Amino acid sequence: QFPRQCATVESLRSGMCCPDYIPVFGPGTDRCGVSTGRGRCVQVTVDSRPHGPQYIHDGRDDREQWPIRFFNQTCQCNGNFSGYNCGSCRPGWTGPTCSQQINIVRRNLLDLSAEERRRFVNALHQAKVAIHPDIVIATRRREEIFGPDGNTPQFENISIYNYFVWSHYYSVRKTFLGSGQQSFGGVDFSHEGPAFVTWHRYHLLQLERDMQNMLQDPTFGLPYWNFATGQNTCDICSDDLMGARSNFDVSLISQNSIFSQWRVICENVEDYETLGTICNSTESGPIRRNPAGNVARPMVQRLPEPEDVAQCLEVGVFDTPPFYSNSTDSFRNTVEGYSDPSGKYDPAVRSLHNLAHLFLNGTGGQTHLSPNDPIFVLLHTFTDAVFDEWLRRYSADISTYPLENAPIGHNRQYNMVPFWPPVTNNEMFVTAPENLGYSYEVEWPGRALRVTEMITIAIVTALVLVAIIFAAAACIIRVKKNKDELHQPLLTDQYQHYSDDYDGIPTPSQSVV
Ligand SMILES: O=C1C=c2cc(C(=O)O)[nH]c2=CC1=O
């Protein structure tokens, strides 16, 4: 969430988080790389438009008007410079002056060669164990951030991958209302609203960039899992990819996979909710996964169909009031999976993204924990690919993305929680190849025909066939008639000739040779 340089008493007290790029003449002399024109320190802009009615505890949560409870000054970078100190490049740009354009290709995991698969799995594991070079996480609410002695900022180091997990947890955590009081759950800064697609897009971009830096490979791209197979098996759950099922416990990962050794974070939600603490970087149990194994819910035992994706892409309106999980005819609510694939809201339905989560039936199916299972990354790159295809087809029409009255965190100009430096939902509502430097290598399924379309085609085909039959019949009759007319006298003549002479015995001139 915040750069290590800002996790200090001074920075928190001043509200300024504008680290040096290179402190040329001592600390504080090159804030945001100002000396080389990279950027400058400015006031943070926050969204103060009204939010929807779901959240009723204004003033009680650190995530309101993010990130103002922690910092009110941030770096604003020039040109293609980016990052917490303007020391990196905007997505899609690379090189020392960020002037080299780059396109990262996100490919189907199943299309990777054996060597590429091995490299990807190893890269994920490296990210799981490598400490994030720049970012630390708060382990207490703002109220308690200076620690018991008032002088010890409560931040922790965290690994690159666990930071990815933690950011998701922090965005969905309940609002703590005080000891002895139930925490409030009607709040979610990354789901059940228009920011679902924009938030998860940035979440992935951030992991991809962190992994590029870790690997020192600016071309590294996250693959995707095309979960719309319509199957009741997990085709990426093999030991060379995300791990097969263990032979000893149906809900564990095989020991031949490195992922069986991963340990999850943010498991103790009851503790956080009762004590008012925040998940930290402590790891606990293994990843649990039992694809298609939820016997109590047959509906989540099969993955979405390819046709569901095709249908979802036909929903042309981005989002509809109340911009929540009960929106109908909303592309966002359809791809998120609270509506049926044609866009109709149905409280009993779980489709597309939600269905893929629930199908995993374990760590990957619980919102506060799900990114602990690395399948999360691949499930969400595919969801993002669908979003990008929608943006392309409908020319990124943002007119139905609400500026106000969306659930808290979901307004168009809201800074996505808990990212730093501040980035709005708006900024992720752009086609990826042209604006964010990545594209998907994917072929979209064609849409099956609707009943009315099938009836129309059948009628037209039948009419054409009848017309052809009539034309052919008329043609045959005309040809026959012409032939008859042409041959009639000759035939009669010949016939008469034969009938007069022929007695069954050929004459010498008629003999057959
Ligand atoms: O991790 C997630 C788990 C989810 C479960 C549902 C559901 O529809 O019940 N939705 C989820 C979203 C997640 O991100």
Side-chain angles (χ1 to χ4, degrees), residues 1-4 6-13 62 66 70-71 135-158 166 169-170 173 275-281:
Q1 82 183 357
F2 299 121
R4 191 168 286 106
C6 299
T8 63
V9 173
E10 306 74 57
S11 202
L12 285 162
R13 291 237 157 92
D62 293 344
W66 184 258
F70 292 90
F71 297 106
I135 298 289
V136 289
I137 53 159
T139 57
R140 289 290 181 276
R141 289 171 294 112
R142 180 65 180 82
E143 209 181 312
E144 300 178 348
I145 201 72
F146 290 116
D149 64 357
N151 216 17
T152 313
Q154 303 290 294
F155 290 90
E156 264 184 16
N157 277 318
I158 191 159
W166 185 92
Y169 150 82
Y170 192 84
R173 63 183 279 264
L275 302 172
T277 55
I278 293 174
C279 156
N280 58 27
S281 58

Side-chain angles (χ1 to χ4, degrees), residues 83 316 421 512:
V512 180

Side-chain angles (χ1 to χ4, degrees), residues 76-114:
Q76 186 177 74
C77 309
N78 299 323
N80 293 329
F81 295 117
S82 180
Y84 71 93
N85 63 352
C86 301
S88 55
C89 304
R90 272 173 23 160
W93 297 90
T94 189
T97 56
C98 300
S99 51
Q100 240 173 287
Q101 218 161 359
I102 191 166
N103 180 46
I104 285 139
V105 181
R106 293 184 177 173
R107 297 167 58 205
N108 188 328
L109 183 68
L110 294 176
D111 288 342
L112 302 191
S113 67

